[in-house]
Amino acid sequence: MANSATMEEFEALLNESLATETPREGSVVKGKIIAIEAGHAIIDVGYKMEGRVEIKEFANPGEHPEIEVGDEVEVFLRAAENIRGEAVISREMARREEAWDRLEKAYSEDKRVEGAVVGRVKGGFTVDLGGAVAFLPGSQVDVRPVRDAGPLMGLKQPFQLLKMDRRRGNIVVSRRAILEESRAEQRAEVISRLEKGDNIKGIVKNITDYGAFVDLGGVDGLVHVTDMAWHRVNHPSEIINIGDNIEVQVIKINKETHRISLGIKQLEQDPWETVETKFPLESVHTGNVTNITDYGAFVELAPGIEGLVHVSEMSWTKKNVHPGKIVSTSQEVEVMILEIDSAKRRISLGLKQTIRNPWEAFSESRGHGTEIEGEVKNITEFGLFIGLDGDIDGMVHLSDLSWDQRGEDAIKNYKKGDVVKASVLEVDVEKERISLSIKALKEDTFSKAIARVKRGAIITVTVTKIDDNGINVDYKGTKSFIRRADLSRDRSEQRPERFSLGDMVDVRVMNVDNKTRRLGLSIKAREIAEEKEAVEQFGSSDSGASLGDILGAALKGGDR
């Protein structure tokens, strides 16, 4: 019984020994290099098993293998024996298995791994991570697109593992993540040394419409276009170029967001500090028009010093006109300093103030009563506008067109382009108005004619026109109309046709209307007045005498 137990124990120990010492196919085993021949390393993997591996499998990409007889190495046992009786082993597959174990641990611990770019594939590159091959997408190579990847080939460097799938054999890595982290550390270090107001040198990396980015040695800062010069800059390329080494000043720095604002103009003296000394109020200076807007034009008086000529200060005579119709960009103009606000960095300029006020000049040279001649520029419902010297206009009101015609009728005698003469009535410089009169140059026939005519007077008029409603008459050039009802005391005689053109007729003045320049005349009123006067002198019709007798007596009395 004892011997039997001993044999069973011996068999169990033997099987355990065989299982332990015999390598399992499909696993990584340790072996010893026993010879190197014909480019192969002969490796003893134990249990009287030997295999051979190409020497190149022991080398890292781009390196020479460093192995010697006696070195212990790990290899992958693919098969225990081939047709030649040798073990089928692979150093490369062993390295791959070893690498996957190492990489999975690094991936779980979010650690960097070392590798080398070994080839280019569609969409990116292949990277050897010490036995395992990973994919490096083109977007993950650098923080900016890489045009030439040649210098990266074969260079050992750290990578960040983005994705791993051992079953499918997929590994995705990033070089960009490492660079960004490194740049962030470098940026934080540079920013920690910077302070507002520091002057520092940098290299212009990029230029945009709104400014330029400057590399300060690991961190970028922005020079906005408005901080490049004290004068107006339309585009940053007018001042700097990509690659320029320039000096800048730190204007603002945010150490949390790592944003840095830089300035170039701050390195020079602010020209606004001396603006009030250089440009006294009401002084005249020459400048160039830099920009034109709907509300005015900007004029550069000196580098960094611009003022605005408001549209209302551009011309004495051109009102409601776009500034672009008066001046043009880059034009040299003379302007007057009207107002300075250094705090707001504003200067108000005047263009028209450098030229004599044309209404002032006209007022000095042409006083009241002066005769002028000009072209009718415009005709409105209230009068004529006459062009005068100095590109200004004078107005003839409807009431100043004619002595005899109503304004609405008189204005029909004029058209644009007519050259007329007029007299100056008034010049209002402040309101920029000139009042003219055409009728003032002509004789006032009405006033002259009625100078001694009063209401109730008997005057002699001449018949000039006859119509159904009455007759038109003339008195010393003054026109009047006698209505049909006023042609006679007797209704039977109120007939216009009983008069002839050129007849001289005595009439009574009923009223004198200076406003309408008309005389109210009546033959009927004259006859009634004559009858009344005759009755008073020669008796009453009530005493038995007939009206004919009384008038006859009055006529005889008039003959005496």
Side-chain angles (χ1 to χ4, degrees), residues 236-254:
S237 57
E238 297 175 7
I239 305 296
I240 54 178
N241 300 299
I242 293 177
D244 285 354
N245 283 282
I246 61 172
E247 185 175 3
V248 292
Q249 185 175 109
V250 178
I251 301 173
K252 186 178 179 182
I253 184 168
N254 188 324

Side-chain angles (χ1 to χ4, degrees), residues 310-357:
H310 192 268
V311 64
S312 62
E313 306 293 349
M314 301 197 84
S315 173
W316 291 110
T317 57
K318 295 176 182 177
K319 311 293 184 182
N320 302 318
V321 175
H322 191 277
K325 298 287 183 70
I326 301 174
V327 296
S328 57
T329 305
S330 301
Q331 180 182 345
E332 187 176 85
V333 294
E334 272 196 347
V335 290
M336 178 180 284
I337 309 297
L338 302 182
E339 186 181 351
I340 294 177
D341 188 336
S342 296
K344 294 183 179 179
R345 307 171 82 86
R346 293 177 181 171
I347 299 179
S348 296
L349 304 173
L351 188 64
K352 70 182 185 182
Q353 285 79 0
T354 61
I355 306 170
R356 184 85 187 279
N357 183 335

Side-chain angles (χ1 to χ4, degrees), residues 32-62:
K32 179 184 285 188
I33 298 176
I34 57 176
I36 297 175
E37 56 185 36
H40 288 76
I42 311 301
I43 302 173
D44 180 1
V45 293
Y47 201 63
K48 297 183 180 180
M49 293 173 60
E50 294 179 358
R52 62 181 61 226
V53 177
E54 289 188 66
I55 294 176
K56 65 181 181 179
E57 289 191 30
F58 290 91
N60 291 321

Side-chain angles (χ1 to χ4, degrees), residues 133-200:
V133 177
F135 174 61
L136 173 64
S139 62
Q140 296 296 320
V141 176
D142 207 327
V143 292
R144 290 185 177 85
V146 176
R147 295 180 181 178
D148 182 14
L152 299 178
M153 292 293 183
L155 181 66
K156 280 191 176 182
Q157 55 190 308
F159 292 89
Q160 182 73 40
L161 292 165
L162 299 182
K163 181 180 177 182
M164 288 192 69
D165 187 339
R166 189 162 188 168
R167 185 173 62 84
R168 295 183 179 181
N170 290 338
I171 304 175
V172 180
V173 296
S174 172
R175 178 175 177 266
R176 175 178 176 173
I178 303 297
L179 295 177
E180 287 180 342
E181 185 178 339
S182 175
R183 284 173 62 84
E185 294 173 357
Q186 188 177 11
R187 187 182 299 115
E189 182 183 353
V190 172
I191 289 178
S192 67
R193 299 196 305 264
L194 291 178
E195 296 293 339
K196 181 180 178 180
D198 287 352
N199 293 345
I200 187 172

